[in-house]
Amino acid sequence: MNKEKNIFIITGPCGVGKSTISHNLAQTLDKSSHINADLIYEMVVGGYVFPWQDDGNLTELLWSNVSALAFNYIGNNFDVVIDYIVFPEQLKYLEKLRCEYNIVLKYVVLMANEDTIRIRDGKRAPEEIMGDRAIEVLNEFKDKEIDSKYILDTSDKSIEDIVLEIKRAKRFIVE
């Protein structure tokens, strides 16, 4: 019988701690991979457009590449942590993996209040500061009316507490 494998989708607007939480979560797992999908998206050089300006072609390519990486890691008994802005309708890109492997898919939408996001964004390297775009993405997540069971407010929690909650809570599991 195959050991159950996990895919954790860690998402949310800029400044909620996606990369930090994803990296720390992956470190607590025995055999894991952290797929930072921003890095995969940014592999496009000629023809690059910002994700929010994409007509869908680069998004499709991104998910094809992320799925292939996840497939390879899962096939080699790794748990996978994917870090990117992922809305519920994009979970479909991982369905093939659920069909082929015994996977638990956890979808975790990290959120924080606007002030916290602005403070965290301001602490980034100058070339990484998102400014008003961070708040636009926060509002996009709010407008999606995502099921509250997937939302985890990071405003006043430690990294360790957030990681523990993600690992233990069954509410994040996508059925």
Side-chain angles (χ1 to χ4, degrees):
M1 188 156 120
N2 287 342
K3 178 189 172 285
E4 198 171 70
K5 296 158 195 81
N6 298 287
I7 294 180
F8 299 87
I9 305 292
I10 308 299
T11 190
C14 321
V16 293
K18 290 185 299 296
S19 297
T20 301
I21 298 302
S22 295
H23 183 76
N24 280 272
L25 172 61
Q27 285 183 318
T28 69
L29 303 169
D30 290 334
K31 197 172 176 185
S32 65
S33 169
H34 171 198
I35 300 174
N36 181 336
D38 279 330
L39 297 176
I40 295 167
Y41 189 91
E42 291 169 1
M43 288 178 166
V44 172
V45 178
Y48 180 88
V49 296
F50 291 113
W52 57 91
Q53 297 171 332
D54 178 38
D55 62 5
N57 290 329
L58 291 182
T59 298
E60 289 289 328
L61 179 59
L62 167 80
W63 281 107
S64 176
N65 289 328
V66 168
S67 295
L69 277 171
F71 183 85
N72 290 334
Y73 283 116
I74 291 288
N76 284 282
N77 296 310
F78 281 74
D79 289 311
V80 176
V81 180
I82 299 172
D83 159 14
Y84 195 61
I85 293 175
V86 182
F87 295 114
E89 62 268 18
Q90 293 167 320
L91 295 175
K92 68 182 179 188
Y93 293 109
L94 299 169
E95 279 305 308
K96 179 182 177 191
L97 294 173
R98 282 218 283 180
C99 294
E100 294 201 28
Y101 291 100
N102 185 24
I103 289 175
V104 172
L105 178 62
K106 284 193 171 185
Y107 179 61
V108 183
V109 181
L110 304 178
M111 294 291 274
N113 60 51
E114 188 173 321
D115 289 340
T116 300
I117 288 174
R118 286 193 187 279
I119 290 167
R120 290 177 182 171
D121 187 48
K123 292 179 180 177
R124 296 174 186 249
E127 67 276 5
E128 295 177 1
I129 292 176
M130 297 296 291
D132 289 339
R133 179 68 188 141
I135 303 309
E136 289 174 21
V137 177
L138 171 66
N139 291 328
E140 282 182 64
F141 272 95
K142 288 178 180 178
D143 290 345
K144 290 285 181 177
E145 297 180 4
I146 295 167
D147 188 330
S148 62
K149 74 180 189 172
Y150 298 122
I151 296 173
L152 178 56
D153 191 319
T154 65
S155 298
D156 298 315
K157 291 186 176 163
S158 71
I159 293 167
E160 296 78 19
D161 287 345
I162 294 166
V163 167
L164 273 176
E165 188 167 349
I166 290 169
K167 288 174 71 172
R168 292 181 180 164
K170 295 192 183 309
R171 69 184 175 102
F172 300 119
I173 296 173
V174 176
E175 301 297 334

